[in-house]
Amino acid sequence: MTKVSVILPVYNEEKYIKKAIDSVLNQTLDDFELIIVNDGSSDDTLDIIKGFEDERIKLINQTNQGPGASRNNALEIACGEYVMFLDGDDWYCPDALKTAYDEITSNDTDISIFQIIKYDGSEYSENSWFNLDNFPDAFEERVFNPHECRDFLFDISVSAAQKIFRREFLADINARFPEGIYFEDMPFFFYTFLKSEKVSIIKRHLYVRRKHEGSITESVDSKFLDTVEAGQILMDIFIKNGWYDMYLFDLLAFKINGPRYALMGIEEKYREELYLLIKKDYESIKESPYYQDYLDNLGPVKKKFMLDIIKSEDYADFKTLNQTKSSPA
């Protein structure tokens, strides 16, 4: 059996795709398959992919379906013992596959998480999120259960590209990315992480994330409308799997903060649309059995945000009501 399946979904990545593919083909571990999903690219991405001649490459060429469906389609044909994800504008460090594979096999874990370093076109930089600094020292060089991370669960990077997964584990829990939305990593991470039994971390930079204007999280545009649906999917996951009560306080804060920050930062032309999505969501929460939990557990800023959304007639009315200075409270 192939050791690692690398899944690489791409859409209009002609500027960067060659480096991404080269970074996989030149790995120190050579027992892998690279599943590239061309998600309806309209530039020269497909021609660049076809220029590679390597029997380890599998190509799925599909009409545009989005990142979630692309990853799911690749998972359907993956044959590796383990699965890793790469984005088309990023690349692996030369020993990424070997280091991740050695870690997850030696510890027999379901998931292992490694560090990411960012590159802005001229300089490399680190941040605490991608450096896994939220994990206390006691979590290093040992296997742990995900529920040991209860106090900082929502401070862990959700990026699928930062992890190696045991493929049989993903199949057993029927792990799928939400389709038709961006921010599909977020529900996928919490579901797989909390379903796992054994996890480990690798304090080494194995992955380089390219920071540029086209990156999903670099520009707060229409993609951020999906923060509402992603949060709804997340709540369903926690409720259906019996995790809601255990994580209630931080879960509700996380649920409110995603769209709240998006509304503060999104381009002006999308604010009314995002406001309406949030309002519809909050009105459904008000009619749910969980509404009192929000009132009892949200901090003052988040609670005021939610109540002002519910009370307001439109976005202009909301801005008048919601005069509290923005803060992470």
Side-chain angles (χ1 to χ4, degrees), residues 187-203:
F188 182 86
F189 163 70
F190 287 107
Y191 178 67
T192 57
F193 189 72
L194 293 178
K195 276 287 189 179
S196 66
E197 295 183 0
K198 296 190 293 182
V199 183
S200 67
I201 60 174
I202 308 169
K203 283 297 191 83

Side-chain angles (χ1 to χ4, degrees), residues 94-325:
D95 62 346
L97 269 61
K98 184 178 189 307
T99 302
Y101 177 81
D102 287 349
E103 170 75 18
I104 199 166
T105 54
S106 63
N107 288 307
D108 190 29
T109 54
D110 298 313
I111 304 171
S112 289
I113 311 172
F114 44 84
Q115 292 177 317
I116 284 178
I117 193 165
K118 299 180 75 173
Y119 178 70
D120 67 2
S122 60
E123 295 182 341
Y124 292 90
S125 62
E126 302 178 26
N127 65 31
S128 60
W129 177 261
F130 286 141
N131 268 352
L132 309 179
D133 291 345
N134 294 313
F135 284 91
D137 292 343
F139 284 79
E140 295 185 34
E141 298 184 0
R142 75 173 179 92
V143 174
F144 54 89
N145 183 277
H147 292 292
E148 293 181 55
C149 306
R150 178 176 176 177
D151 292 341
F152 59 95
L153 175 67
F154 294 93
D155 294 321
I156 301 174
S157 168
V158 302
S159 172
Q162 196 172 359
K163 301 160 184 76
I164 182 170
F165 302 85
R166 184 166 59 87
R167 185 172 64 84
E168 186 177 354
F169 158 69
L170 295 181
D172 287 347
I173 65 170
N174 192 30
R176 305 278 292 180
F177 289 89
E179 299 188 5
I181 64 168
Y182 290 97
F183 304 101
E184 75 288 347
D185 282 10
M186 185 263 284
F188 182 86
F189 163 70
F190 287 107
Y191 178 67
T192 57
F193 189 72
L194 293 178
K195 276 287 189 179
S196 66
E197 295 183 0
K198 296 190 293 182
V199 183
S200 67
I201 60 174
I202 308 169
K203 283 297 191 83
R204 284 187 59 189
H205 294 117
L206 304 184
Y207 188 104
V208 182
R209 168 150 289 176
R210 190 190 301 269
K211 180 180 178 181
H212 61 91
E213 290 184 359
S215 301
I216 288 177
T217 55
E218 294 303 325
S219 56
V220 188
D221 56 18
S222 61
K223 295 185 288 287
F224 278 74
L225 297 172
D226 290 341
T227 56
V228 176
E229 185 172 353
Q232 292 168 337
I233 293 170
L234 181 68
M235 286 295 295
D236 286 343
I237 287 171
F238 273 75
I239 292 168
K240 290 177 180 177
N241 287 280
W243 302 324
Y244 176 81
D245 289 337
M246 183 185 300
Y247 293 98
L248 182 154
F249 183 80
D250 291 327
L251 173 64
L252 299 186
F254 189 83
K255 169 72 165 64
I256 295 296
N257 266 341
R260 183 168 78 93
Y261 285 130
L263 188 62
M264 288 191 291
I266 201 166
E267 296 174 17
E268 184 68 35
K269 61 184 176 181
Y270 298 116
R271 286 186 182 170
E272 182 74 27
E273 185 177 359
L274 179 55
Y275 161 82
L276 291 173
L277 289 171
I278 296 171
K279 184 172 178 61
K280 183 178 180 180
D281 182 35
Y282 289 4
E283 287 175 344
S284 69
I285 289 172
K286 187 177 180 181
E287 300 304 317
S288 76
Y290 306 101
Y291 183 55
Q292 191 62 45
D293 290 339
Y294 284 85
L295 298 180
D296 292 343
N297 290 280
L298 289 179
V301 173
K302 289 184 284 290
K303 184 192 293 188
K304 179 172 173 26
F305 176 82
M306 182 184 74
L307 293 177
D308 287 347
I309 290 279
I310 293 172
K311 294 174 188 174
S312 56
E313 297 293 331
D314 53 31
Y315 180 61
D317 187 29
F318 163 74
K319 286 197 297 182
T320 301
L321 288 170
N322 195 251
Q323 297 299 318
T324 299
K325 185 177 179 180

Side-chain angles (χ1 to χ4, degrees), residues 1-7 29-35 58 74-75 77-85 97 100-106 108-112 163-172:
M1 181 184 291
T2 302
K3 289 181 178 178
V4 180
S5 294
V6 177
I7 293 176
L29 183 150
D30 59 9
D31 185 8
F32 63 82
E33 62 176 4
L34 171 58
I35 306 174
K58 295 179 180 178
L75 281 171
I77 67 168
C79 297
E81 293 178 74
Y82 299 93
V83 175
M84 296 174 69
F85 296 94
L97 269 61
Y101 177 81
D102 287 349
E103 170 75 18
I104 199 166
T105 54
S106 63
D108 190 29
T109 54
D110 298 313
I111 304 171
S112 289
K163 301 160 184 76
I164 182 170
F165 302 85
R166 184 166 59 87
R167 185 172 64 84
E168 186 177 354
F169 158 69
L170 295 181
D172 287 347

Side-chain angles (χ1 to χ4, degrees), residues 28 212 326:
T28 55
H212 61 91
S326 299

Side-chain angles (χ1 to χ4, degrees), residues 38-103:
N38 178 49
D39 190 31
S41 296
S42 57
D43 61 4
D44 289 334
T45 296
L46 182 58
D47 290 337
I48 295 170
I49 295 169
K50 289 182 175 179
F52 285 88
E53 294 183 3
D54 192 303
E55 61 184 10
R56 296 170 297 182
I57 295 177
K58 295 179 180 178
L59 174 62
I60 298 175
N61 191 30
Q62 63 186 34
T63 57
N64 184 255
Q65 299 177 37
S70 296
R71 286 170 166 174
N72 289 338
N73 293 341
L75 281 171
E76 290 291 333
I77 67 168
C79 297
E81 293 178 74
Y82 299 93
V83 175
M84 296 174 69
F85 296 94
L86 176 64
D87 291 337
D89 49 357
D90 301 333
W91 68 92
Y92 285 131
C93 298
D95 62 346
L97 269 61
K98 184 178 189 307
T99 302
Y101 177 81
D102 287 349
E103 170 75 18

